[in-house]
């Protein structure tokens, strides 16, 4: 059974999908969301939003609702194993970039986005897993869901994450590669750190033997902190069931052991942080690699967010770049629609849209590439002898946080 055609179908109601639906709605472009999981989506952990994404969320009316729910901060500090400052990295600044950075639980952000999507009357269907495209014509595209039903739209957008099935339509043989690295994190009360109140947080403490230990406040009042380390796994990767099994409470004690390992070689704040680790709040983040893709669009299919680019966590830009994708994509589609109203028919409009989406993809990829370069620079500065040459120059991050999206949209849609 095929459901009626919608102008734009969005596969995945995660952060990219929900925000895309709102961004399209702001231009009066209707869309329908399809999400494979049941509602509500309560995928663990908090994320860090930087000014480039916060500007977008502000324009869409989301920021005012999330600002009271998260922890505001400006810098990530880096310290040595004997607790000396090494470096810091601007994650936001009201004076320089218009917004402080915001650390917010993912479910809180999703709840706000979802209630705004519902208030806007945007249709969203849960337990609807996209399977594969079944037909494409010059006018529309039809696909099957895993439950045997199908649907049709003018444009199909894959916002379905790093393991995207929509991407399979563009790259049938591509499978994300597990890097063998996972982030192991937990949540503990801030008071447990027993540091003076002005100890710089969030902080990454670097140990030559044990790598980096991260401590980052969360909750609006900063009363809770994430603690975390990265681990290289010796065994094979897991499928989703395998990861879920590793996340069962009775299987999580290895995470506590791992977080505690080597704490005596860090400053006392780390031993305090790991002294009592509740099982609830432990999270795993397996890192996958997706090669740079030549194209994010083909015919009536587009991919964006993690489906289009997997960005390693170093500069904390994964989700922030996903917001940039969706906002600029909606802007380009809206501009094309305006221009097509004065154009000479559907074929002309389709060619123009193809050209505009190609420019959008190349422009977006160029920014993603710059973020990847920034990740590399940051990684080099975390090497044990990086600070020996003397003072580390602060990064100029105006290109990242001070970006003018409206200018980019106008250029890509021209
Ligand atoms: C534990 C963890 C911590 C992280 N922390 C940070 C951080 O601090 N900062 C940061 O920038 N990034 C962080 N990331 C990365 C960040 O979460 C991603 O960049 C971001 O979620 C990408 O959003 P997305 O909407 O594109 O994809 P996703 O968030 O993966 O959403 C995809 C959605 O599509 C749905 N879906 C998948 N397949 C289908 C299908 N076939 N049919 C229908 N629906 C489908 C999924 O259920 C999901 O809801 C973290 C990731 C993890 C796992």
């Amino acid at each position: 059974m095929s459901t009626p055609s919608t102008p734009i179908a969005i596969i995945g109601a995660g952060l990219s999908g929900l925000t895309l639906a709102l961004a399209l709605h702001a231009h009066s472009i209707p869309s329908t969301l399809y999400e494979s999981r049941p509602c509500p989506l309560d995928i663990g952990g908090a994320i860090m939003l930087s000014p480039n994404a916060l500007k977008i969320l502000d324009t869409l009316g989301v920021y005012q609702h999330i600002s009271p729910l998260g922890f505001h901060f400006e810098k990530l500090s880096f310290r040595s194993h004997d607790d000396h400052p090494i470096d810091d990295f601007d994650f936001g600044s009201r004076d320089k970039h218009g917004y402080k950075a915001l650390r917010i639980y993912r479910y809180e952000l999703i709840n706000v986005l979802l209630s705004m999507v519902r208030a806007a009357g945007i249709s969203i269907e849960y337990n609807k897993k996209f399977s594969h495209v079944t037909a494409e014509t010059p006018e529309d595209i039809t696909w099957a869901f895993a439950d045997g039903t199908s649907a049709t739209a003018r444009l199909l957008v894959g916002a379905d994450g790093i393991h995207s099935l929509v991407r399979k339509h563009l790259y049938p043989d591509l499978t994300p590669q597990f890097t063998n690295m996972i982030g192991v994190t937990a949540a503990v009360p801030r008071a447990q750190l027993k540091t003076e109140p002005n100890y710089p947080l969030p902080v990454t403490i670097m140990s030559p033997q044990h790598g980096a230990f991260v401590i980052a406040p969360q909750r609006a009042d900063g009363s809770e902190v994430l603690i975390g380390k990265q681990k290289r796994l010796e065994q094979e990767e897991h499928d989703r069931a395998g990861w879920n099994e590793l996340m069962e409470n009775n299987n999580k004690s290895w995470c506590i052991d791992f977080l505690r390992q080597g704490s005596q070689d860090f400053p006392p704040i780390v031993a305090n942080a790991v002294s009592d680790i509740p099982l609830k709040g432990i999270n795993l983040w397996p890192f996958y690699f997706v090669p740079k893709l030549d194209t994010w669009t083909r015919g009536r299919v587009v991919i964006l967010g993690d489906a289009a680019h997997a960005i390693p966590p170093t500069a904390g830009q994964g989700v922030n770049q996903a917001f940039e994708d969706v906002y600029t994509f909606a802007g380009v589609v809206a501009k094309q629609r305006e221009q097509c109203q004065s154009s000479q028919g559907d074929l002309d409009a389709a060619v123009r849209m193809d050209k505009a989406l190609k420019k959008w993809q190349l422009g977006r990829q160029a920014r993603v590439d710059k973020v990847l370069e920034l990740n590399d620079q940051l990684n080099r500065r975390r090497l044990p002898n990086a600070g020996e040459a003397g003072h580390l120059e602060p990064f100029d991050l105006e290109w990242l946080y001070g970006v003018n999206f409206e200018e980019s949209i106008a250029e890509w849609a021209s």
Side-chain angles (χ1 to χ4, degrees), residues 10 16-29 31 33 57 60-62 112-122 326-327 330:
I10 303 169
S16 296
L18 290 168
T19 310
L20 175 58
L22 289 178
L24 290 167
H25 179 78
H27 294 289
S28 308
I29 300 176
S31 64
L33 284 148
L57 293 172
L60 296 176
V62 180
V112 167
L113 292 169
L114 181 57
S115 61
M116 290 183 70
V117 159
R118 291 206 158 122
I122 298 165
V326 302
Y327 184 76

Side-chain angles (χ1 to χ4, degrees), residues 11-17 34-37 41 43-44 46-48 103 106 128-131 159-162 165 240 283-286 304-307 316-320 322:
I11 305 298
L15 295 174
S16 296
Y34 300 96
E35 166 59 47
S36 59
R37 298 183 208 224
L41 289 180
I43 313 160
I47 49 172
M48 297 202 282
R103 184 163 168 78
R106 184 190 298 260
K128 261 333 220 183
K129 182 173 181 180
F130 169 91
S131 173
D160 51 344
I162 195 159
L165 287 184
R240 186 184 278 182
N283 247 313
L284 297 184
W285 179 2
L304 41 67
D306 270 19
Q317 277 296 309
V319 73
N320 294 291

Side-chain angles (χ1 to χ4, degrees), residues 60-70 104 108 112-113 115-116:
L60 296 176
V62 180
Y63 182 70
Q64 54 176 321
H65 301 297
I66 60 170
S67 174
L69 304 177
I104 182 169
E108 303 238 51
V112 167
L113 292 169
S115 61
M116 290 183 70

Side-chain angles (χ1 to χ4, degrees), residues 52-378:
N52 45 332
L54 292 172
K55 192 176 351 183
I56 288 170
L57 293 172
D58 205 1
T59 309
L60 296 176
V62 180
Y63 182 70
Q64 54 176 321
H65 301 297
I66 60 170
S67 174
L69 304 177
F71 179 79
H72 297 261
F73 68 97
E74 299 211 334
K75 285 182 187 309
L76 298 178
S77 296
F78 291 84
R79 294 177 79 85
S80 61
H81 68 284
D82 50 359
D83 216 5
H84 289 101
I86 306 175
D87 195 7
D88 52 41
F89 179 74
D90 273 346
F91 215 85
S93 156
R94 209 179 306 284
D95 295 340
K96 274 195 269 178
H97 308 297
Y99 303 87
K100 286 188 173 189
L102 182 69
R103 184 163 168 78
I104 182 169
Y105 263 92
R106 184 190 298 260
Y107 76 87
E108 303 238 51
L109 178 51
I110 287 205
N111 285 348
V112 167
L113 292 169
L114 181 57
S115 61
M116 290 183 70
V117 159
R118 291 206 158 122
I122 298 165
S123 162
I124 174 162
E125 292 189 36
Y126 284 91
N127 299 304
K128 261 333 220 183
K129 182 173 181 180
F130 169 91
S131 173
H132 61 280
V133 171
T134 52
E136 190 171 353
T137 71
E139 283 77 41
D140 54 28
I141 180 152
T142 302
W143 65 94
F145 292 104
D147 63 7
T149 59
S150 63
T152 299
R154 300 274 292 167
L155 205 58
L156 174 68
V157 181
D160 51 344
I162 195 159
H163 300 285
S164 170
L165 287 184
V166 178
R167 189 178 57 218
K168 287 266 171 214
H169 182 67
L170 276 59
Y171 296 93
D173 301 327
L174 194 154
T175 306
Q177 296 300 305
F178 181 47
T179 59
N180 276 53
M181 294 299 292
I182 53 167
V184 180
T185 64
V188 303
R190 161 80 170 83
Q192 187 170 306
L193 303 179
K194 299 197 181 93
T195 49
E196 70 270 24
N198 59 354
Y199 188 90
L201 292 175
V203 67
T204 298
I205 304 174
M206 310 294 300
S207 150
Q209 302 110 292
H210 307 289
F213 192 97
V214 177
I215 306 176
Q218 47 202 26
R219 306 279 179 212
D221 58 0
S223 58
E224 181 184 278
V225 290
L226 163 134
I227 57 173
K229 273 164 64 176
Q230 291 186 12
K231 180 174 173 58
R232 179 169 295 283
L233 283 187
E234 302 310 331
Q235 77 261 35
E236 291 293 294
E237 81 163 292
H238 299 272
D239 58 11
R240 186 184 278 182
W243 290 121
N244 287 347
E245 199 186 317
L246 269 183
M247 289 293 291
E248 298 284 332
N249 272 350
N250 51 2
N251 290 335
K252 278 184 184 168
S253 59
W254 69 268
C255 298
I256 297 181
D257 295 343
F258 171 67
L259 287 169
R260 286 186 173 152
Q261 234 171 54
S263 56
Q264 70 284 355
D265 297 322
F266 284 93
I269 186 176
V270 171
N272 294 338
V274 298
S275 57
D276 184 13
I277 303 178
L279 285 176
K280 187 177 176 302
I282 292 181
N283 247 313
L284 297 184
W285 179 2
F287 302 137
Y288 282 84
F289 170 75
V290 175
K292 183 167 158 178
L293 303 177
D294 294 337
T295 188
W296 302 357
T297 71
R298 201 177 76 210
R300 298 196 162 266
V301 179
V302 180
I303 52 172
L304 41 67
D306 270 19
H309 46 68
I311 301 178
T314 321
Q317 277 296 309
V319 73
N320 294 291
Q321 290 304 306
F323 285 123
E324 290 197 13
D325 286 352
V326 302
Y327 184 76
T328 52
F329 172 78
V332 166
V333 170
K335 280 250 180 311
Q336 279 307 302
R337 196 187 48 162
E338 274 167 32
Q339 290 170 13
C340 289
Q341 275 156 4
S342 56
S343 91
Q344 292 151 26
D346 251 16
L347 191 58
D348 186 26
V351 171
R352 290 180 64 117
M353 179 68 95
D354 279 355
K355 271 174 76 178
L357 288 183
K358 195 69 210 168
K359 280 202 216 166
W360 162 79
Q361 179 218 322
L362 293 174
R364 288 294 308 125
Q365 183 68 59
R367 257 178 89 71
V368 169
D369 288 347
K370 267 187 108 167
V371 167
L372 296 175
E373 261 169 48
L374 175 65
N375 276 353
D376 286 346
Q377 287 170 12
L378 277 165

